[in-house]
Structure formats: C-alpha cells, structure tokens
Amino acid sequence: MTKTVGLIVGSLRKNSFTRAVAEQMAAQLPDGFTVKPIDISKLDLYNQDLDDENRAPQSWTDFRNEMKNVDAVIFATPEYNRSVPGALKNALDVGSRPYGESIWDQKPAIILSVSPGAISGFGANHHLRQSLVFLNMPTIQQPELYIGNVTNILDDNLKITNEGTLKFLGGAMQTFAKFINKLVASHPLN
C-alpha cells in the first residue's frame, strides 16, 4: 500500500533554495511512497476565536483535511532570525487545533534545514524539533539534515551538483521510509 508523505516548506520564495533541496531529497523516497507538496502560503493567521466561534477560514479547513490524508511529513525550513519562518509556525498552529483534534499527532516526521550560511539553519531546525515534540510527532534523530552554504551546491537551475550531498539526502530518505513503515504499521491512520 502506497504511503503519502507531505512536503511542507517554510520558505515561500518562488526560487527557494530550501524548496529546491527538499524536492530533490523527497524525490529519492523509495517505491511505495508518494510525495504530496502541501502549500502553506495561503493559510490565514491562526486566531483561536475563529475556531471557538465555528468561523474557521476555508484555508484552515482545507489544510486540516489535506493533512489528515498524509502518513508522514518532511519539514524543510530556512532559518529566519535563528528560528522558523512565521508561515511554518502558523501551519503548525493551524494544524494543532481545535484542541484535541491535532492533525499532527503520531505522524512520523523528518526535518531538513537549508541555509546559504555556514550555520546550516541549526537554530530553525532545533526550534522546529521542539514544537514537534509537543505535537507528538515521532521525528528522525539521525541523520541530522543541515545543509549549509547551499549556494555552493546548487547550479543556476537550483539542481544539486554535489554527488555526496545527493547521496546523503538519498540515504536519509531510505532511513525515513523504514521509520515510516515501522510506525505506520503500529499506528495506522484512522
């Protein structure tokens, strides 16, 4: 049975380095997996009053319904001011509510952080990891996916030119696939 892996990218830029690396990484998932890009760019900002008053925006409802059909999630994030972009944090918040109806619960996850700088999005990666712990998302611990100096490994078409990086990302996808299979077998989606 094919498993669906949602790909959520925190960068909203049209020529995002993070999106380019994440898509090339996700494409290396083995047979039996399909990747579903999840667009978070149009999500209304989270305000609990709207849920409490049964006035949830359509963007929230659509996102929550889309995520209910995803078996696992690849989170790819740039680093903004040593943390995750606001759009990504908003998606986490929208998906975690209403209280008790989180779409994140028990979904396997992996985090990729990408940066033109040498720190490799370390701060964003760990801030995101902290949120995923609270959201009860079992998350791959190893390998850690920090891609720094990204402009040195991408060509003008945003294709990864470094074979070692491609191999590393492919190995991470093999590890993630095994992790998903193990967890989904023990906790299938309802």
Side-chain angles (χ1 to χ4, degrees), residues 125-176:
N125 192 302
H126 282 264
H127 277 191
L128 180 53
R129 190 171 298 278
Q130 189 175 17
S131 291
L132 301 189
V133 167
F134 177 77
L135 295 172
N136 197 32
M137 296 186 78
T139 305
I140 287 285
Q141 305 300 313
Q142 294 291 332
E144 294 178 292
L145 303 177
Y146 308 107
I147 305 296
N149 301 308
V150 70
T151 55
N152 295 340
I153 64 162
L154 294 175
D155 65 18
D156 292 340
N157 296 314
L158 301 179
K159 296 296 180 200
I160 298 171
T161 58
N162 184 291
E163 288 300 319
T165 301
L166 282 170
K167 184 176 179 182
F168 171 69
L169 295 173
M173 289 298 90
Q174 294 296 320
T175 299
F176 191 40

Side-chain angles (χ1 to χ4, degrees), residues 23 58 84 89 93 98 125:
E23 288 174 349
Q58 191 63 46
V84 297
K89 180 60 168 73
D93 295 342
N125 192 302

Side-chain angles (χ1 to χ4, degrees), residues 98-126:
Y99 186 78
E101 297 178 36
S102 174
I103 51 87
W104 306 116
D105 191 47
Q106 297 186 28
K107 285 189 195 301
I110 192 167
I111 300 170
L112 165 71
S113 56
V114 176
S115 174
I119 297 177
S120 312
F122 180 87
N125 192 302
H126 282 264

